[in-house]
Amino acid sequence: MPEDLQLLIDGEWRDGSGPLLRSVNPAHPHETVAEGATATGAEVERAVTAAAAAADGWRRTPHHDRGAILARAAVALRTEADAFGVELSREEGKLAAEGIGEVRRAAQILDFFAAEANREAGELYASPRAGESIVVSRHPVGVVGVVTPFNFPIAIPAWKIAPALSYGNTVVWKPASVVPLLAQRLARALTDAGLPDGVLNLVVGAGSLGQAIVEHPLVDAVTFTGSTTVGRSLIAACGAVAKPIQAELGGKNAAIVLADADLPAAIDDVVAGAFRASGQRCTATSRLIVQADVADQVMEGIRARIESMVLGDPTTAGTDVGPVITGDARDSIAAAVRAAGSGTRLLTAGDLLPDIDAGHYVRPTLVEVSDTRDPLWTDEIFGPVLAVTRVPDADTALRLANDSPFGLSCALFTSDLAVTLHAMAELRVGVLHINSETGGADPHVPFGGTKASAFGPKEQGRAARDFFTSMRTVYLQGRR
Ligand code: NAP
Ligand code: MG
């Protein structure tokens, strides 16, 4: 039986009045995971109005009380991690173990932002005037519109919603249409933990609802993660009215393997970086730059690993790679591989689109690219496709890694300290891994890209404060 989907508006779980939405299992597309009616424009309006009405009460609630609610929700998520993780796997397609890990990660994020109540809340400066101090205090920005992508259905929402709530904002959230169940699980954990009515509102439905939230005059700030195309349109809409927006966008992340690296470890990490979650991570490795001396060895190592991977149902033990999110995603990934120019060489064998229970599968694929202007090298594919090219030396490798409009994550595999230090200074990315794969983000440190991969302040860690609070500078003269 499919799970019931509902909206959360002003503390009330209710059926939407819009068209029916079914989320399906990408491994078995005939299986409905959850279904329910979507929100209408009128319901978005009610959700935003409720968030605006709840803003003063929530902002005046002691930070410790707000944090306690997040901490209780974290306990609930941990308790349900196995069940929710399998649901995540059925709705999104990543391996069940990864789904369970992601639910636990969401709990960790809630705990981190719960503990923000215990940390310093502002700054005190000396004044050039006698009898005066200058206090810089932090305040909520108000109503935050949250629009999230499909690929981390609970962790990404958690790392936006937890800081929004902890710092005293209220939220209207539109999750990706293909993963509404996990959105409902997170929102339920928070309301069951005692979140007051209207503080978090969940509207499920098409992208146009997201746009309505973003453009609503009562929405004070917007945090978005998703594709560069949608993100740029929202950045433009916010720019037109000077509304702050934080956007985490696409990537084309490079891994660099130099000849002095620990090659077996580098091969393991490149394979994990490229193919975990079927390559549908914003930080996935999609370009491999390998020093020519070891290129054949590294490519052969990766090819052999790919050949041994088991594709199939992500909730079944022994599966290495699950499906991609939709039939459209599968087709566009395949089209990108098939459109590759004449300078490319397919290094893996087998059907690109294997037929397994009619699921949306794409076989992990390794392609050697000689012309780095090929779209396979330049464009985000968001699937299990790794493009590889050879370079003569470390300097060329770093230059090529930077030669991309994107700048989210990069991995460098080397044992050379001088090259490492040079890379730390030169690579224009938001996240740099030395001797580990491009994916992975800890909740207590900043996360986010640079160049076309992001816009606005970083997410997670204390950096999240910069977006979810506004600063007030108070000149405090006590003498007169
Ligand atoms: P997407 O298609 O851009 O969708 C993201 C969200 O925006 C969804 O909730 C979507 O709703 C909504 N949306 C679509 N059109 C909209 C519009 N006109 N106005 C407002 N909202 C709209 O992205 P996705 O396919 O879910 O996720 C994959 C992309 O996200 C990749 O490009 C990936 O690199 C990026 N990503 C980046 C990061 C990062 O941290 N940099 C992390 C994860 C993913 P519907 O689902 O209803 O269409
Ligand atoms: Mg999409």
Side-chain angles (χ1 to χ4, degrees):
M1 275 295 285
E3 296 290 319
D4 254 353
L5 292 176
Q6 289 193 306
L7 316 178
L8 173 63
I9 297 176
D10 202 11
E12 194 191 336
W13 285 97
R14 56 206 276 175
D15 293 335
S17 315
L20 186 77
L21 176 73
R22 296 166 61 238
S23 79
V24 300
N25 182 340
H28 308 281
H30 298 298
E31 180 189 315
T32 301
V33 177
E35 65 184 6
T38 51
T40 58
E43 282 157 337
V44 168
E45 183 65 36
R46 283 216 285 284
V48 174
T49 308
D56 280 345
W58 185 241
R59 137 179 103 73
R60 292 181 186 131
T61 301
H63 200 159
H64 285 84
D65 294 353
R66 299 195 301 251
I69 293 171
L70 298 186
R72 277 199 294 279
V75 171
L77 290 185
R78 268 197 201 92
T79 308
E80 298 290 343
D82 288 0
F84 291 175
V86 170
E87 285 180 343
L88 194 164
S89 174
R90 289 179 59 227
E91 197 172 58
E92 197 270 349
K94 68 181 64 169
L95 301 186
E98 292 168 352
I100 293 165
E102 189 184 327
V103 176
R104 294 211 177 103
R105 169 57 56 91
Q108 244 186 322
I109 293 164
L110 293 176
D111 277 338
F112 177 85
F113 287 105
E116 276 296 278
N118 296 326
R119 276 182 274 266
E120 125 280 326
E123 292 157 9
L124 176 66
Y125 289 85
S127 168
R129 287 162 295 279
E132 186 178 83
S133 293
I134 306 172
V135 171
V136 178
S137 54
R138 299 256 181 181
H139 303 269
V141 294
V143 177
V144 177
V146 175
V147 180
T148 51
F150 78 83
N151 63 328
F152 285 95
I154 194 162
I156 288 180
W159 80 48
K160 295 178 181 300
I161 291 167
L165 298 179
S166 179
Y167 296 122
N169 304 283
T170 60
V171 169
V172 182
W173 172 27
K174 195 209 86 70
S177 299
V178 286
V179 290
L181 179 58
L182 264 288
Q184 186 162 309
R185 296 297 185 228
L186 176 61
R188 276 268 182 206
L190 285 160
T191 53
D192 289 353
L195 206 62
D197 294 353
V199 171
L200 171 65
N201 302 274
L202 171 67
V203 291
V204 174
S208 53
L209 298 181
Q211 194 168 335
I213 294 169
V214 169
E215 291 177 354
H216 199 292
L218 290 179
V219 170
D220 298 293
V222 172
T223 176
F224 169 84
T225 296
S227 61
T228 300
T229 313
V230 173
R232 283 182 175 172
S233 77
L234 300 184
I235 291 165
C238 288
V241 291
K243 183 182 292 193
I245 177 166
Q246 168 188 64
E248 287 299 332
L249 309 169
K252 188 74 183 177
N253 311 297
I256 300 168
V257 178
L258 299 181
D260 60 21
D262 172 346
L263 293 183
I267 289 168
D268 279 353
D269 269 33
V270 170
V271 167
F275 304 116
R276 194 171 281 169
S278 303
Q280 298 174 117
R281 295 183 299 165
C282 50
T283 51
T285 306
S286 56
R287 296 185 292 153
L288 171 61
I289 300 166
V290 56
Q291 197 165 358
D293 322 33
V294 295
D296 287 329
Q297 190 185 343
V298 170
M299 288 184 214
E300 173 50 26
I302 295 171
R303 193 201 59 76
R305 293 287 304 279
I306 290 175
E307 306 276 283
S308 72
M309 283 178 171
V310 177
L311 263 80
D313 188 313
T315 61
T316 303
T319 297
D320 297 307
V321 182
V324 299
I325 188 72
T326 58
D328 284 352
R330 178 200 54 201
D331 295 345
S332 80
I333 295 163
V337 173
R338 288 175 178 146
S342 53
T344 57
R345 189 164 68 100
L346 191 63
L347 299 178
T348 37
D351 251 351
L352 183 58
L353 304 181
D355 185 4
I356 309 167
D357 299 332
H360 307 311
Y361 290 94
V362 180
R363 190 178 301 284
T365 298
L366 180 66
V367 187
E368 185 171 359
V369 171
S370 51
D371 181 351
T372 55
R373 287 167 305 183
D374 195 290
L376 208 57
W377 188 261
T378 56
D379 297 357
E380 184 179 54
I381 293 176
F382 222 59
V385 179
L386 178 62
V388 52
T389 201
R390 304 163 195 252
V391 292
D393 51 40
D395 280 344
T396 314
L398 298 189
R399 262 201 310 279
L400 187 54
N402 274 338
D403 182 22
S404 167
F406 298 110
L408 181 49
S409 180
C410 183
L412 170 64
F413 296 90
T414 182
S415 55
D416 187 322
L417 181 60
V419 170
T420 301
L421 292 173
H422 185 57
M424 287 167 64
E426 294 301 319
L427 284 171
R428 294 187 59 208
V429 288
V431 181
L432 174 58
H433 289 262
I434 306 297
N435 295 315
S436 65
E437 64 130 314
T438 48
D442 282 326
H444 65 297
V445 290
F447 174 78
T450 181
K451 294 158 65 178
S453 289
F455 187 84
K458 297 279 184 203
E459 302 196 277
Q460 303 208 74
R462 286 230 99 186
R465 267 206 317 184
D466 293 337
F467 182 72
F468 290 102
T469 64
S470 69
M471 281 192 271
R472 183 172 303 154
T473 307
V474 181
Y475 294 84
L476 203 60
Q477 176 58 263
R479 225 162 33 117
R480 289 177 206 165

mmCIF file of all heavy atoms in Angstrom, residues 204-241:
data_model
loop_
_atom_site.group_PDB
_atom_site.id
_atom_site.type_symbol
_atom_site.label_atom_id
_atom_site.label_comp_id
_atom_site.label_asym_id
_atom_site.label_seq_id
_atom_site.Cartn_x
_atom_site.Cartn_y
_atom_site.Cartn_z
ATOM 1 N N VAL A 204 3.697 20.324 -1.157
ATOM 2 C CA VAL A 204 4.199 19.362 -2.124
ATOM 3 C C VAL A 204 3.567 19.678 -3.471
ATOM 4 O O VAL A 204 2.369 19.957 -3.538
ATOM 5 C CB VAL A 204 3.823 17.935 -1.673
ATOM 6 C CG1 VAL A 204 4.199 16.914 -2.732
ATOM 7 C CG2 VAL A 204 4.500 17.600 -0.354
ATOM 8 N N GLY A 205 4.392 19.634 -4.518
ATOM 9 C CA GLY A 205 3.844 19.871 -5.848
ATOM 10 C C GLY A 205 4.913 20.332 -6.817
ATOM 11 O O GLY A 205 6.103 20.283 -6.516
ATOM 12 N N ALA A 206 4.464 20.804 -7.955
ATOM 13 C CA ALA A 206 5.362 21.103 -9.072
ATOM 14 C C ALA A 206 6.269 22.299 -8.793
ATOM 15 O O ALA A 206 6.059 23.057 -7.846
ATOM 16 C CB ALA A 206 4.532 21.380 -10.316
ATOM 17 N N GLY A 207 7.263 22.444 -9.685
ATOM 18 C CA GLY A 207 8.228 23.534 -9.558
ATOM 19 C C GLY A 207 7.581 24.906 -9.485
ATOM 20 O O GLY A 207 8.094 25.801 -8.802
ATOM 21 N N SER A 208 6.435 25.067 -10.164
ATOM 22 C CA SER A 208 5.780 26.384 -10.157
ATOM 23 C C SER A 208 5.396 26.815 -8.740
ATOM 24 O O SER A 208 5.363 28.013 -8.431
ATOM 25 C CB SER A 208 4.544 26.359 -11.057
ATOM 26 O OG SER A 208 3.713 25.277 -10.681
ATOM 27 N N LEU A 209 5.147 25.843 -7.854
ATOM 28 C CA LEU A 209 4.848 26.203 -6.462
ATOM 29 C C LEU A 209 6.095 26.780 -5.802
ATOM 30 O O LEU A 209 6.017 27.708 -4.999
ATOM 31 C CB LEU A 209 4.384 24.981 -5.663
ATOM 32 C CG LEU A 209 3.111 24.269 -6.108
ATOM 33 C CD1 LEU A 209 2.820 23.115 -5.159
ATOM 34 C CD2 LEU A 209 1.933 25.226 -6.145
ATOM 35 N N GLY A 210 7.237 26.195 -6.163
ATOM 36 C CA GLY A 210 8.501 26.719 -5.637
ATOM 37 C C GLY A 210 8.690 28.165 -6.071
ATOM 38 O O GLY A 210 9.082 29.028 -5.276
ATOM 39 N N GLN A 211 8.378 28.414 -7.325
ATOM 40 C CA GLN A 211 8.511 29.770 -7.838
ATOM 41 C C GLN A 211 7.575 30.729 -7.100
ATOM 42 O O GLN A 211 7.961 31.857 -6.756
ATOM 43 C CB GLN A 211 8.186 29.767 -9.332
ATOM 44 C CG GLN A 211 8.623 31.025 -10.018
ATOM 45 C CD GLN A 211 8.538 30.852 -11.535
ATOM 46 O OE1 GLN A 211 8.600 29.730 -12.050
ATOM 47 N NE2 GLN A 211 8.400 31.952 -12.232
ATOM 48 N N ALA A 212 6.344 30.252 -6.820
ATOM 49 C CA ALA A 212 5.383 31.101 -6.104
ATOM 50 C C ALA A 212 5.900 31.433 -4.703
ATOM 51 O O ALA A 212 5.739 32.562 -4.220
ATOM 52 C CB ALA A 212 4.024 30.404 -6.026
ATOM 53 N N ILE A 213 6.551 30.466 -4.058
ATOM 54 C CA ILE A 213 7.111 30.724 -2.721
ATOM 55 C C ILE A 213 8.214 31.771 -2.827
ATOM 56 O O ILE A 213 8.245 32.754 -2.092
ATOM 57 C CB ILE A 213 7.667 29.419 -2.102
ATOM 58 C CG1 ILE A 213 6.533 28.437 -1.832
ATOM 59 C CG2 ILE A 213 8.460 29.712 -0.837
ATOM 60 C CD1 ILE A 213 7.008 27.023 -1.481
ATOM 61 N N VAL A 214 9.118 31.523 -3.773
ATOM 62 C CA VAL A 214 10.278 32.399 -3.913
ATOM 63 C C VAL A 214 9.844 33.841 -4.184
ATOM 64 O O VAL A 214 10.405 34.793 -3.640
ATOM 65 C CB VAL A 214 11.181 31.875 -5.056
ATOM 66 C CG1 VAL A 214 12.245 32.888 -5.428
ATOM 67 C CG2 VAL A 214 11.807 30.541 -4.650
ATOM 68 N N GLU A 215 8.823 34.000 -5.017
ATOM 69 C CA GLU A 215 8.423 35.349 -5.425
ATOM 70 C C GLU A 215 7.450 36.005 -4.451
ATOM 71 O O GLU A 215 7.111 37.171 -4.599
ATOM 72 C CB GLU A 215 7.805 35.283 -6.832
ATOM 73 C CG GLU A 215 8.860 34.952 -7.870
ATOM 74 C CD GLU A 215 8.307 34.796 -9.278
ATOM 75 O OE1 GLU A 215 7.070 34.838 -9.442
ATOM 76 O OE2 GLU A 215 9.127 34.629 -10.197
ATOM 77 N N HIS A 216 7.010 35.264 -3.432
ATOM 78 C CA HIS A 216 6.010 35.835 -2.528
ATOM 79 C C HIS A 216 6.613 36.979 -1.708
ATOM 80 O O HIS A 216 7.661 36.826 -1.100
ATOM 81 C CB HIS A 216 5.479 34.750 -1.590
ATOM 82 C CG HIS A 216 4.175 35.121 -0.972
ATOM 83 N ND1 HIS A 216 4.047 36.144 -0.060
ATOM 84 C CD2 HIS A 216 2.919 34.645 -1.168
ATOM 85 C CE1 HIS A 216 2.775 36.253 0.294
ATOM 86 N NE2 HIS A 216 2.074 35.356 -0.371
ATOM 87 N N PRO A 217 5.919 38.120 -1.660
ATOM 88 C CA PRO A 217 6.485 39.268 -0.940
ATOM 89 C C PRO A 217 6.668 39.024 0.560
ATOM 90 O O PRO A 217 7.500 39.695 1.180
ATOM 91 C CB PRO A 217 5.482 40.404 -1.188
ATOM 92 C CG PRO A 217 4.359 39.837 -1.981
ATOM 93 C CD PRO A 217 4.700 38.449 -2.412
ATOM 94 N N LEU A 218 5.933 38.086 1.145
ATOM 95 C CA LEU A 218 6.118 37.819 2.582
ATOM 96 C C LEU A 218 7.276 36.857 2.849
ATOM 97 O O LEU A 218 7.593 36.581 3.995
ATOM 98 C CB LEU A 218 4.826 37.256 3.191
ATOM 99 C CG LEU A 218 3.646 38.221 3.314
ATOM 100 C CD1 LEU A 218 2.429 37.511 3.915
ATOM 101 C CD2 LEU A 218 4.011 39.443 4.160
ATOM 102 N N VAL A 219 7.870 36.328 1.798
ATOM 103 C CA VAL A 219 9.046 35.462 1.985
ATOM 104 C C VAL A 219 10.293 36.349 1.961
ATOM 105 O O VAL A 219 10.556 37.050 0.992
ATOM 106 C CB VAL A 219 9.100 34.365 0.905
ATOM 107 C CG1 VAL A 219 10.430 33.620 0.932
ATOM 108 C CG2 VAL A 219 7.943 33.395 1.103
ATOM 109 N N ASP A 220 11.039 36.342 3.078
ATOM 110 C CA ASP A 220 12.137 37.288 3.242
ATOM 111 C C ASP A 220 13.445 36.809 2.640
ATOM 112 O O ASP A 220 14.319 37.606 2.319
ATOM 113 C CB ASP A 220 12.357 37.548 4.738
ATOM 114 C CG ASP A 220 11.132 38.166 5.384
ATOM 115 O OD1 ASP A 220 10.815 39.322 5.043
ATOM 116 O OD2 ASP A 220 10.468 37.495 6.200
ATOM 117 N N ALA A 221 13.629 35.490 2.546
ATOM 118 C CA ALA A 221 14.888 34.955 2.030
ATOM 119 C C ALA A 221 14.623 33.558 1.475
ATOM 120 O O ALA A 221 13.646 32.899 1.875
ATOM 121 C CB ALA A 221 15.940 34.883 3.137
ATOM 122 N N VAL A 222 15.482 33.118 0.575
ATOM 123 C CA VAL A 222 15.267 31.843 -0.120
ATOM 124 C C VAL A 222 16.539 31.017 -0.080
ATOM 125 O O VAL A 222 17.639 31.533 -0.352
ATOM 126 C CB VAL A 222 14.886 32.097 -1.600
ATOM 127 C CG1 VAL A 222 14.846 30.789 -2.383
ATOM 128 C CG2 VAL A 222 13.553 32.824 -1.691
ATOM 129 N N THR A 223 16.411 29.747 0.260
ATOM 130 C CA THR A 223 17.545 28.833 0.126
ATOM 131 C C THR A 223 17.143 27.713 -0.823
ATOM 132 O O THR A 223 16.100 27.082 -0.671
ATOM 133 C CB THR A 223 18.042 28.327 1.498
ATOM 134 O OG1 THR A 223 19.082 27.364 1.269
ATOM 135 C CG2 THR A 223 16.949 27.711 2.338
ATOM 136 N N PHE A 224 17.968 27.529 -1.848
ATOM 137 C CA PHE A 224 17.655 26.603 -2.940
ATOM 138 C C PHE A 224 18.851 25.697 -3.182
ATOM 139 O O PHE A 224 20.003 26.145 -3.159
ATOM 140 C CB PHE A 224 17.362 27.407 -4.217
ATOM 141 C CG PHE A 224 17.293 26.557 -5.476
ATOM 142 C CD1 PHE A 224 16.110 25.913 -5.826
ATOM 143 C CD2 PHE A 224 18.408 26.393 -6.302
ATOM 144 C CE1 PHE A 224 16.050 25.117 -6.974
ATOM 145 C CE2 PHE A 224 18.353 25.601 -7.445
ATOM 146 C CZ PHE A 224 17.169 24.961 -7.784
ATOM 147 N N THR A 225 18.592 24.425 -3.433
ATOM 148 C CA THR A 225 19.612 23.548 -4.009
ATOM 149 C C THR A 225 18.981 22.830 -5.173
ATOM 150 O O THR A 225 17.859 22.322 -5.070
ATOM 151 C CB THR A 225 20.144 22.543 -2.978
ATOM 152 O OG1 THR A 225 20.804 23.258 -1.937
ATOM 153 C CG2 THR A 225 21.156 21.584 -3.610
ATOM 154 N N GLY A 226 19.708 22.782 -6.293
ATOM 155 C CA GLY A 226 19.184 22.097 -7.467
ATOM 156 C C GLY A 226 20.018 22.451 -8.682
ATOM 157 O O GLY A 226 21.198 22.798 -8.569
ATOM 158 N N SER A 227 19.367 22.378 -9.836
ATOM 159 C CA SER A 227 20.114 22.560 -11.080
ATOM 160 C C SER A 227 20.479 24.028 -11.284
ATOM 161 O O SER A 227 19.829 24.939 -10.761
ATOM 162 C CB SER A 227 19.259 22.077 -12.251
ATOM 163 O OG SER A 227 18.074 22.843 -12.311
ATOM 164 N N THR A 228 21.503 24.240 -12.068
ATOM 165 C CA THR A 228 21.963 25.593 -12.362
ATOM 166 C C THR A 228 20.874 26.382 -13.092
ATOM 167 O O THR A 228 20.669 27.566 -12.819
ATOM 168 C CB THR A 228 23.256 25.514 -13.196
ATOM 169 O OG1 THR A 228 24.227 24.812 -12.413
ATOM 170 C CG2 THR A 228 23.804 26.889 -13.518
ATOM 171 N N THR A 229 20.151 25.726 -13.989
ATOM 172 C CA THR A 229 19.125 26.440 -14.764
ATOM 173 C C THR A 229 18.029 26.992 -13.864
ATOM 174 O O THR A 229 17.694 28.186 -13.927
ATOM 175 C CB THR A 229 18.478 25.481 -15.789
ATOM 176 O OG1 THR A 229 19.528 24.776 -16.445
ATOM 177 C CG2 THR A 229 17.643 26.223 -16.793
ATOM 178 N N VAL A 230 17.450 26.124 -13.031
ATOM 179 C CA VAL A 230 16.383 26.595 -12.137
ATOM 180 C C VAL A 230 16.963 27.610 -11.149
ATOM 181 O O VAL A 230 16.378 28.675 -10.916
ATOM 182 C CB VAL A 230 15.718 25.417 -11.389
ATOM 183 C CG1 VAL A 230 14.734 25.931 -10.351
ATOM 184 C CG2 VAL A 230 15.011 24.485 -12.372
ATOM 185 N N GLY A 231 18.125 27.300 -10.611
ATOM 186 C CA GLY A 231 18.745 28.191 -9.629
ATOM 187 C C GLY A 231 18.947 29.597 -10.178
ATOM 188 O O GLY A 231 18.637 30.585 -9.520
ATOM 189 N N ARG A 232 19.438 29.682 -11.407
ATOM 190 C CA ARG A 232 19.688 31.014 -11.966
ATOM 191 C C ARG A 232 18.390 31.791 -12.152
ATOM 192 O O ARG A 232 18.364 33.013 -11.987
ATOM 193 C CB ARG A 232 20.420 30.893 -13.299
ATOM 194 C CG ARG A 232 21.880 30.587 -13.074
ATOM 195 C CD ARG A 232 22.632 30.520 -14.374
ATOM 196 N NE ARG A 232 24.053 30.330 -14.096
ATOM 197 C CZ ARG A 232 24.959 30.085 -15.022
ATOM 198 N NH1 ARG A 232 24.617 30.002 -16.290
ATOM 199 N NH2 ARG A 232 26.222 29.934 -14.683
ATOM 200 N N SER A 233 17.302 31.100 -12.512
ATOM 201 C CA SER A 233 16.039 31.826 -12.687
ATOM 202 C C SER A 233 15.556 32.356 -11.332
ATOM 203 O O SER A 233 15.021 33.452 -11.245
ATOM 204 C CB SER A 233 14.992 30.949 -13.378
ATOM 205 O OG SER A 233 14.455 30.017 -12.470
ATOM 206 N N LEU A 234 15.799 31.584 -10.263
ATOM 207 C CA LEU A 234 15.370 32.047 -8.942
ATOM 208 C C LEU A 234 16.277 33.175 -8.443
ATOM 209 O O LEU A 234 15.813 34.130 -7.806
ATOM 210 C CB LEU A 234 15.360 30.879 -7.944
ATOM 211 C CG LEU A 234 14.432 29.708 -8.317
ATOM 212 C CD1 LEU A 234 14.415 28.657 -7.216
ATOM 213 C CD2 LEU A 234 13.006 30.191 -8.592
ATOM 214 N N ILE A 235 17.567 33.069 -8.758
ATOM 215 C CA ILE A 235 18.499 34.143 -8.377
ATOM 216 C C ILE A 235 18.073 35.446 -9.063
ATOM 217 O O ILE A 235 18.057 36.523 -8.452
ATOM 218 C CB ILE A 235 19.945 33.765 -8.762
ATOM 219 C CG1 ILE A 235 20.440 32.616 -7.874
ATOM 220 C CG2 ILE A 235 20.884 34.969 -8.647
ATOM 221 C CD1 ILE A 235 21.700 31.918 -8.388
ATOM 222 N N ALA A 236 17.687 35.342 -10.329
ATOM 223 C CA ALA A 236 17.254 36.543 -11.064
ATOM 224 C C ALA A 236 15.986 37.123 -10.441
ATOM 225 O O ALA A 236 15.876 38.338 -10.244
ATOM 226 C CB ALA A 236 17.019 36.198 -12.542
ATOM 227 N N ALA A 237 15.032 36.232 -10.104
ATOM 228 C CA ALA A 237 13.771 36.715 -9.516
ATOM 229 C C ALA A 237 14.042 37.410 -8.180
ATOM 230 O O ALA A 237 13.464 38.457 -7.882
ATOM 231 C CB ALA A 237 12.804 35.549 -9.324
ATOM 232 N N CYS A 238 14.928 36.830 -7.382
ATOM 233 C CA CYS A 238 15.239 37.438 -6.080
ATOM 234 C C CYS A 238 16.021 38.734 -6.272
ATOM 235 O O CYS A 238 15.796 39.723 -5.562
ATOM 236 C CB CYS A 238 16.027 36.459 -5.207
ATOM 237 S SG CYS A 238 15.006 35.111 -4.596
ATOM 238 N N GLY A 239 16.931 38.713 -7.235
ATOM 239 C CA GLY A 239 17.739 39.914 -7.489
ATOM 240 C C GLY A 239 16.864 41.106 -7.839
ATOM 241 O O GLY A 239 17.138 42.235 -7.413
ATOM 242 N N ALA A 240 15.789 40.852 -8.575
ATOM 243 C CA ALA A 240 14.927 41.950 -9.022
ATOM 244 C C ALA A 240 14.306 42.700 -7.848
ATOM 245 O O ALA A 240 13.965 43.871 -7.971
ATOM 246 C CB ALA A 240 13.831 41.404 -9.940
ATOM 247 N N VAL A 241 14.152 42.010 -6.712
ATOM 248 C CA VAL A 241 13.554 42.691 -5.554
ATOM 249 C C VAL A 241 14.523 42.708 -4.361
ATOM 250 O O VAL A 241 14.104 42.909 -3.220
ATOM 251 C CB VAL A 241 12.212 42.028 -5.140
ATOM 252 C CG1 VAL A 241 11.147 42.276 -6.200
ATOM 253 C CG2 VAL A 241 12.379 40.529 -4.888
#
